[in-house]
Amino acid sequence: MAAHLFIVFSLLNVAFARNHGALSSEEIHWKSKFPNTPMPEALKNLLPPPPSGKSKELEGVNAPINPFIIYENRDKAKKSKGVNAPINPFIIYEKQSKGNKNSLGRKHGNASMNETIYFFQEDLRPGKMVKLPLVVKPRDFTTFLPQQVAQSIPFSSDNFPEILKHFSFGSDSTEADAMKQTIKGCERRAMRGEQMFCATSFDSFVDLSVSKLGKNIQLLASELGKETSNPMFTIGRGIQNMGEEELVCHKMMYPYAVFLCHSIEGTVVYKVTLVGTDRMKANAVAICHKDTSAWSPDHPAFFILNVKPGTIPICHFVVRDTLVWVRK
């Protein structure tokens, strides 16, 4: 009860500051790191919101999560599947059983015929048509918790029963399984040529990124000209190579915003203009991995493209909720 009162008190302070025009602690923290750079819109969307008192209206999967209701018991655990979460990056590094391997091959073999999940670097060229349902998928509006609140909540496998109790999720719920996989991904050992960390608050997201790349950085995200359900695009002219000094941050499935950020040697970042068949333009981020020799041979990309690890560069577009830091 004391922990919950502390959380409510902290969120009320956030609301008071926002309603009186004062900068939030996250905005102050940003200015302390980047005094001459406006905060990117993609990060503004992740700031802790003031409580709205509209918990009845915020039950949809795509709705912003109200921090006042994430602690309540939920009857709809089986229905609230995380349909908007990106593919969990930890599967890149884990060994699968033969049974899972075969099922992955069948599943993703069909997917490769219908959408552009992974592709070869030579296909990243103007005029190439791509199908990108993950790029047009509705955004996940889960926000960061205030720094003090995030620090007060455990985030480890050893404390998982306590975490579930804190959020009032049953151990056999869909949410519990997703949270367990997120923590597991954050606790895994980095593979060869990789640096990684998980950020559980706005401050840690900024501070850890700066510690890896320095302050002369910019944040990229895939952005749509307007909301659309049409996944068909043609790659436009002016593909920009943003370099190989990067940090790709995947938004994970969790009751509040958690990012798994990693940098893998031999990764190239591109800014790509996309033109929809409905003429809507989008600015997308594509990632090309020049060396996949350290990846698990069971990674779905190898089944989709019918290649082996380390044989050829593999590329993919990032989903809307993935953020990418690059050096300027």
Side-chain angles (χ1 to χ4, degrees), residues 13-317:
N13 283 339
V14 171
F16 180 84
R18 295 281 175 83
N19 291 337
H20 288 76
L23 293 177
S24 68
S25 62
E26 290 81 13
E27 291 168 315
I28 293 172
H29 190 77
W30 175 266
K31 284 186 172 293
S32 72
K33 299 293 182 181
F34 307 102
N36 300 314
T37 303
M39 186 186 298
E41 197 66 28
L43 274 185
K44 287 183 180 179
N45 293 334
L46 294 167
L47 296 182
S52 64
K54 298 180 180 180
S55 60
K56 294 296 184 182
E57 300 176 11
L58 297 172
E59 295 180 355
V61 175
N62 296 318
I65 290 183
N66 186 332
F68 284 110
I69 66 172
I70 61 178
Y71 309 102
E72 295 178 359
N73 290 314
R74 295 185 180 181
D75 300 325
K76 302 177 180 179
K78 297 301 182 182
K79 296 181 181 179
S80 53
K81 296 180 179 180
V83 296
N84 289 319
I87 295 174
N88 195 331
F90 82 89
I91 67 171
I92 293 175
Y93 316 102
E94 291 201 338
K95 303 296 182 182
Q96 306 288 339
S97 68
K98 290 184 178 180
N100 286 339
K101 178 177 179 180
N102 291 336
S103 64
L104 274 172
R106 287 193 298 270
K107 177 180 177 181
H108 291 284
N110 292 333
S112 66
M113 296 165 54
N114 300 318
E115 58 189 86
T116 310
I117 302 176
Y118 300 98
F119 57 94
F120 297 122
Q121 191 163 8
E122 64 188 30
D123 291 323
L124 188 61
R125 53 182 171 78
K128 177 72 174 180
M129 181 166 281
V130 290
K131 186 176 183 180
L132 303 170
L134 292 178
V135 170
V136 301
K137 189 160 71 168
R139 189 182 298 279
D140 172 14
F141 290 102
T142 309
T143 61
F144 284 119
L145 289 179
Q147 174 75 1
Q148 285 183 301
V149 178
Q151 289 180 332
S152 72
I153 303 173
F155 188 83
S156 70
S157 295
D158 291 341
N159 297 111
F160 195 63
E162 180 182 349
I163 296 171
L164 290 182
K165 183 177 180 180
H166 190 95
F167 290 106
S168 301
F169 290 136
S171 59
D172 62 344
S173 65
T174 302
E175 289 87 352
D177 183 63
M179 292 164 65
K180 183 184 295 183
Q181 296 303 324
T182 289
I183 294 174
K184 183 179 179 181
C186 289
E187 292 177 338
R188 67 166 174 81
R189 181 180 298 179
M191 72 173 184
R192 173 171 50 84
E194 179 195 31
Q195 298 184 65
M196 63 161 286
F197 63 82
C198 277
T200 59
S201 68
F202 178 92
D203 290 16
S204 63
F205 180 83
V206 172
D207 292 349
L208 291 169
S209 299
V210 168
S211 72
K212 297 294 183 184
L213 294 178
K215 290 186 178 182
N216 189 29
I217 55 178
Q218 60 180 314
L219 192 66
L220 307 178
S222 293
E223 300 172 342
L224 301 178
K226 64 178 181 180
E227 294 298 319
T228 180
S229 58
N230 176 25
M232 300 303 301
F233 293 92
T234 299
I235 296 176
R237 297 183 180 275
I239 299 171
Q240 298 181 55
N241 185 327
M242 305 303 292
E244 298 185 26
E245 296 180 284
E246 44 65 45
L247 194 60
V248 181
C249 296
H250 304 271
K251 194 174 189 184
M252 309 297 283
M253 289 187 64
Y254 217 69
Y256 54 91
V258 171
F259 282 86
L260 187 156
C261 300
H262 62 162
S263 177
I264 303 175
E265 290 180 2
T267 297
V268 187
V269 179
Y270 295 92
K271 286 178 66 175
V272 182
T273 299
L274 300 174
V275 181
T277 53
D278 57 0
R279 298 186 179 181
M280 188 275 289
K281 290 187 177 181
N283 295 314
V285 179
I287 306 291
C288 289
H289 301 282
K290 296 192 294 184
D291 181 8
T292 61
S293 59
W295 292 20
S296 166
D298 296 328
H299 189 282
F302 301 129
F303 296 102
I304 291 171
L305 300 175
N306 194 28
V307 296
K308 294 182 179 180
T311 57
I312 190 170
I314 290 177
C315 304
H316 61 90
F317 285 95

